[in-house]
Amino acid sequence: MSLDHILLGLLREPQSGYDLKAFFDRSLQYFWPAELSQIYRNLKRLERTGMLQSKSKTSKIGPDRKVYSITKTGRQELKSWLSDRPQFGDERFSYLAQVFFMDECHDISATEEFIREMRSEFKERITTYRKIDKEWRNCNSHYPALESESGFHMHLTLRMGMHRMTASVKWCDESLAAIQERQKEKMISPNKTG
Amino acid sequence: MSLDHILLGLLREPQSGYDLKAFFDRSLQYFWPAELSQIYRNLKRLERTGMLQSKSKTSKIGPDRKVYSITKTGRQELKSWLSDRPQFGDERFSYLAQVFFMDECHDISATEEFIREMRSEFKERITTYRKIDKEWRNCNSHYPALESESGFHMHLTLRMGMHRMTASVKWCDESLAAIQERQKEKMISPNKTG
DNA sequence: TGAATCATGTAACTGGTTACATGATTGT
DNA sequence: ACAATCATGTAACCAGTTACATGATTCA
């Protein structure tokens, strides 16, 4: 179960559930979104099973917080997950399913508009990833060098995001061009399509 | 809920649950995997809510099958889903989470091996997508022209898969090169990393 | 004093997986 | 006769979402 392992990974630095949520929303959410309610639930279970321990801490800012940190058992479990083979085959993309069936609309300009919206989302992601990269550079002077080990691996996932989003934008352009090309052809030699 | 809508989309051609599962495994599974048990459950609900209707058909090969087809209400629901804006923000990739935390292993060659396995999976996907493309070409002489409307949209999603998998392979090569580069540097001027 | 936000949670629900049950048909 | 596979399902479970409850703290 990935969320459990992600929490273990993040809790090498002791943190509260609230802090963890903030971190998810700043970076991890792009490959593993999580809701606060679920984070709290899983933290509880991980403590019950001995993977985590917690203590209440009063803080200058805001009410008391429950700070979790990883135990020896937890670290073992984390390592065992990391030495698993890469886990594929669970990816779901609603928006691709939408494209797949969009001929039902019998209106190619609907597809065009849809792809333009996809394009702008992908572009925005690239900007966001660049911003995150800058933030991390500011926090850690070694980042993204291999010597700052954690930084290096975090950087790798960001690069994957950039590669994929760039490819996705290229796909949008290719698709929009194909649509326009074929519409031109149609105007010259019209054909039944319905 | 995407699975419901995907089933509606597929059932423009009347089919049984078993047939649908076969189709999922041949193509859709790459952006929306589904188990038989869940397909049957959702088909039942879609019939109860008037989106689908079914009739038993005896077949020459094998036992009776329950063939579902879409109703007017179902088609309306399908169209309303297709005219929604693209739905983002639900994507989950366990293997990227694994990379993100892999520094915990303190063993860069583990990362290397992991990325090599990713690479071979991505390569395999490209081959698979090409195979599917060929199959579809054989089934429909118009494919992937815009005139064969459904074919065109199906082709678009395949192209997205190819773009993304190609980009992912490039990421693997870039990452492996970075690791090797940095290991060379280390051998010349060794540094503490733990 | 009252709104915003910090912080932790619970309950009900929906979506998806795994394991199992059942029985017909086909091929050896 | 037996195994494989065709075909439909149920039950128990696990993961994730949405809506709501609670109360402290901060700031205008």
Side-chain angles (χ1 to χ4, degrees), chain A residues 45 79 187:
Chain A
R45 186 174 55 194
K79 281 195 181 165
M187 279 168 69

Side-chain angles (χ1 to χ4, degrees), chain A:
Chain A
M1 222 265 292
S2 293
L3 180 60
D4 278 353
H5 292 113
I6 290 172
L7 292 172
L8 291 174
L10 291 173
L11 286 168
R12 294 176 295 179
E13 304 271 313
Q15 287 182 86
S16 70
Y18 199 81
D19 294 335
L20 287 162
K21 171 60 174 165
F23 191 82
F24 267 95
D25 290 348
R26 251 180 298 119
S27 48
L28 268 160
Q29 69 155 144
Y30 299 101
F31 54 85
W32 206 280
E35 294 300 326
L36 244 186
S37 60
Q38 205 198 342
I39 292 172
Y40 283 126
R41 197 178 336 111
N42 288 35
L43 287 174
K44 267 220 163 135
R45 186 174 55 194
L46 285 166
E47 186 171 29
R48 214 170 47 234
T49 55
M51 308 283 170
L52 295 178
Q53 59 191 76
S54 70
K55 44 185 165 181
S56 267
K57 264 197 185 161
T58 55
S59 92
K60 283 97 231 169
I61 330 145
D64 286 11
R65 40 184 63 202
K66 207 167 163 183
V67 175
Y68 287 89
S69 51
I70 193 167
T71 64
K72 212 175 272 184
T73 328
R75 189 162 264 121
Q76 259 167 25
E77 179 54 37
L78 175 58
K79 281 195 181 165
S80 121
W81 175 63
L82 291 169
S83 54
D84 275 357
R85 314 191 54 195
Q87 281 150 41
F88 302 103
D90 251 22
E91 297 100 47
R92 276 166 228 272
F93 304 90
S94 323
Y95 56 90
L96 289 185
Q98 285 172 289
V99 172
F100 194 87
F101 294 111
M102 199 151 286
D103 62 292
E104 180 69 27
C105 294
H106 302 293
D107 174 10
I108 194 68
S109 68
T111 306
E112 237 186 306
E113 175 54 21
F114 194 87
I115 294 177
R116 274 204 210 98
E117 288 193 48
M118 286 174 70
R119 193 181 190 284
S120 94
E121 167 74 18
F122 298 146
K123 280 291 237 182
E124 219 170 278
R125 288 254 182 126
I126 295 175
T127 319
T128 307
Y129 295 163
R130 270 203 259 273
K131 240 184 252 169
I132 296 173
D133 200 50
K134 248 180 222 169
E135 261 176 53
W136 286 350
R137 256 171 236 277
N138 290 340
C139 293
N140 177 345
S141 61
H142 292 293
Y143 177 92
L146 187 49
E147 300 98 70
S148 82
E149 296 209 340
S150 160
F152 180 74
H153 287 81
M154 286 161 77
H155 182 68
L156 285 185
T157 60
L158 257 188
R159 292 288 307 157
M160 176 62 110
M162 291 185 196
H163 270 94
R164 285 202 178 155
M165 288 305 106
T166 306
S168 302
V169 170
K170 256 170 74 183
W171 173 87
C172 292
D173 291 336
E174 175 191 291
S175 304
L176 292 169
I179 291 169
Q180 262 145 40
E181 187 59 34
R182 290 178 199 275
Q183 273 182 319
K184 241 185 276 170
E185 277 172 36
K186 224 199 237 169
M187 279 168 69
I188 297 164
S189 63
N191 246 329
K192 263 197 289 192
T193 57

Side-chain angles (χ1 to χ4, degrees), chain B residues 16 18 36-37 40 44 61 65-66 92:
Chain B
S16 70
Y18 200 80
L36 243 187
S37 59
Y40 283 127
K44 267 220 164 136
I61 330 145
R65 41 184 64 203
K66 206 167 164 183
R92 276 165 228 272

Side-chain angles (χ1 to χ4, degrees), chain B residues 78-161:
Chain B
L78 175 59
K79 280 194 182 165
S80 121
W81 175 63
L82 291 169
S83 54
D84 275 357
R85 314 190 57 194
Q87 281 150 41
F88 302 103
D90 252 21
E91 297 99 47
R92 276 165 228 272
F93 304 90
S94 324
Y95 57 90
L96 288 185
Q98 285 172 290
V99 172
F100 194 87
F101 294 111
M102 199 153 284
D103 62 293
E104 180 69 26
C105 294
H106 302 291
D107 173 11
I108 194 67
S109 68
T111 306
E112 237 185 306
E113 175 55 20
F114 194 88
I115 294 176
R116 274 203 211 97
E117 287 192 48
M118 286 174 70
R119 193 181 191 283
S120 95
E121 168 74 19
F122 298 145
K123 281 291 237 181
E124 219 170 277
R125 287 254 182 124
I126 295 175
T127 319
T128 308
Y129 295 162
R130 270 204 258 273
K131 240 184 250 168
I132 296 172
D133 200 50
K134 249 181 219 166
E135 261 175 53
W136 286 349
R137 256 171 236 277
N138 290 340
C139 294
N140 177 345
S141 61
H142 291 293
Y143 177 92
L146 187 49
E147 299 100 72
S148 82
E149 297 209 342
S150 158
F152 180 73
H153 286 82
M154 287 161 75
H155 182 68
L156 284 186
T157 61
L158 257 187
R159 291 289 305 158
M160 175 63 110

Side-chain angles (χ1 to χ4, degrees), chain B residues 5 11-12 24 29 41 55 64 83 99-100 134 150:
Chain B
H5 292 113
L11 286 168
R12 292 175 297 179
F24 267 94
Q29 68 155 145
R41 209 201 298 133
K55 45 186 166 180
D64 286 10
S83 54
V99 172
F100 194 87
K134 249 181 219 166
S150 158

Side-chain angles (χ1 to χ4, degrees), chain B residues 7-17 20 43 46-47 50-57 66-75:
Chain B
L7 292 172
L8 291 175
L10 291 173
L11 286 168
R12 292 175 297 179
E13 303 272 314
Q15 287 182 85
S16 70
L20 287 163
L43 286 174
L46 286 167
E47 186 171 30
M51 307 283 169
L52 295 178
Q53 58 190 78
S54 70
K55 45 186 166 180
S56 268
K57 264 197 184 160
K66 206 167 164 183
V67 175
Y68 287 89
S69 50
I70 194 167
T71 63
K72 211 174 272 183
T73 328
R75 189 163 265 119

Side-chain angles (χ1 to χ4, degrees), chain A residues 146 152 156, chain B residues 172-185:
Chain A
L146 187 49
F152 180 74
L156 285 185
Chain B
C172 292
D173 291 337
E174 175 191 291
S175 305
L176 292 169
I179 291 170
Q180 263 147 38
E181 186 59 33
R182 291 177 200 273
Q183 275 182 319
K184 239 185 275 169
E185 278 171 37

